[in-house]
Amino acid sequence: MHSSIFSEIRVFFARGSVLSRLIGLNVAIFVLVGLIRVLFFLFDAPSAYDGIINWFGVPSATETLISRPWTLFTYMFLHFDFFHIFFNMFMLYIGGRLFRDFLGENRMTGTYIIGGLFGALFFIVAYNLFPAFSQARHLAVAIGASASVLAIFIAIATYMPNYELPLIILGRIKLKYIAVFFVVLDLLSIDKGNSGGHLAHLGGALWGFLYIMLLK
């Protein structure tokens, strides 16, 4: 039975689209880390879970980053809780389908990865540049696919800004307005909590915009 489950998983990643692989990888890592967290809880070692986040989340402290360079990539596949991953995967599904249909799947993985790297860069630079983060710089760690997801969404919104997306209650809204809403919301939320996350979002959004400008 176990072998058949693992076989189905292998087939999914081998034959699935790039979009389904990205979503599947994020969900698989979320479940795995969640199971490890429960295991640590049962053995009364909750601090060990924090160690996982610190080991794979991207740190703002450059001296820590130098010793953990892999975190620039691993952070973009880690999520804090169910609502965190649910919203990111929902946005990835919507933006990813449009990206796939109009720009092609072969560009999606690169946009996801580079968008995540831009997000990490924004987070690290801001925390080392602005005095407001001087106290938190040595402890701050960023996780989540938000920067990568926003890079994909902003890219397709830049490529076809007047495409209308049907939204519940609001009706059909052009992509450019949705993109502007997300960017402005992140800008206005920097001082409201989760500053590193909002800064990373802006980095991912910037790459999505620049990528389409370079592509054109």
Side-chain angles (χ1 to χ4, degrees), residues 13-195:
F13 282 107
R15 298 182 180 178
S17 64
V18 171
L19 178 58
S20 64
R21 290 176 187 174
L22 287 174
I23 293 176
L25 183 59
N26 275 278
V27 172
I29 292 175
F30 176 74
V31 172
L32 176 62
V33 173
L35 291 174
I36 293 174
R37 184 184 66 246
V38 171
L39 186 63
F40 285 151
F41 169 79
L42 294 175
F43 283 93
D44 195 24
S47 60
Y49 172 72
D50 295 332
I52 294 178
I53 299 301
N54 291 329
W55 196 250
F56 293 104
V58 63
S60 59
T62 53
E63 58 272 21
T64 306
L65 177 64
I66 291 174
S67 63
R68 303 173 187 172
W70 60 83
T71 59
L72 290 168
F73 298 93
T74 55
Y75 96 97
M76 64 184 78
F77 295 98
L78 283 174
H79 290 86
F80 179 70
D81 56 26
F82 173 78
F83 291 104
H84 189 198
I85 190 172
F86 176 81
F87 182 76
N88 276 343
M89 295 304 100
F90 179 71
M91 289 297 300
L92 178 58
Y93 177 75
I94 293 176
R97 289 194 64 176
L98 293 173
F99 190 102
R100 178 190 63 191
D101 292 343
F102 293 96
L103 288 169
E105 281 203 330
N106 57 328
R107 296 189 173 107
M108 189 179 300
T109 302
T111 306
Y112 183 99
I113 297 297
I114 300 177
L117 292 175
F118 262 66
L121 179 65
F122 258 53
F123 164 66
I124 295 167
V125 170
Y127 266 66
N128 285 274
L129 179 64
F130 296 110
F133 305 120
S134 59
Q135 297 298 318
R137 184 180 71 85
H138 295 287
L139 298 175
V141 174
I143 62 172
S146 302
S148 301
V149 171
L150 204 55
I152 289 175
F153 192 89
I154 296 299
I156 194 60
T158 304
Y159 185 74
M160 41 190 301
N162 293 314
Y163 182 89
E164 294 183 342
L165 195 66
L167 300 178
I168 299 175
I169 300 177
L170 298 177
R172 303 185 70 86
I173 306 293
K174 291 182 178 179
L175 285 179
K176 61 183 179 183
Y177 297 133
I178 301 175
V180 169
F181 171 79
F182 281 128
V183 171
V184 172
L185 181 63
D186 278 317
L187 279 170
L188 297 178
S189 300
I190 291 176
D191 64 338
K192 305 298 182 183
N194 189 27
S195 301

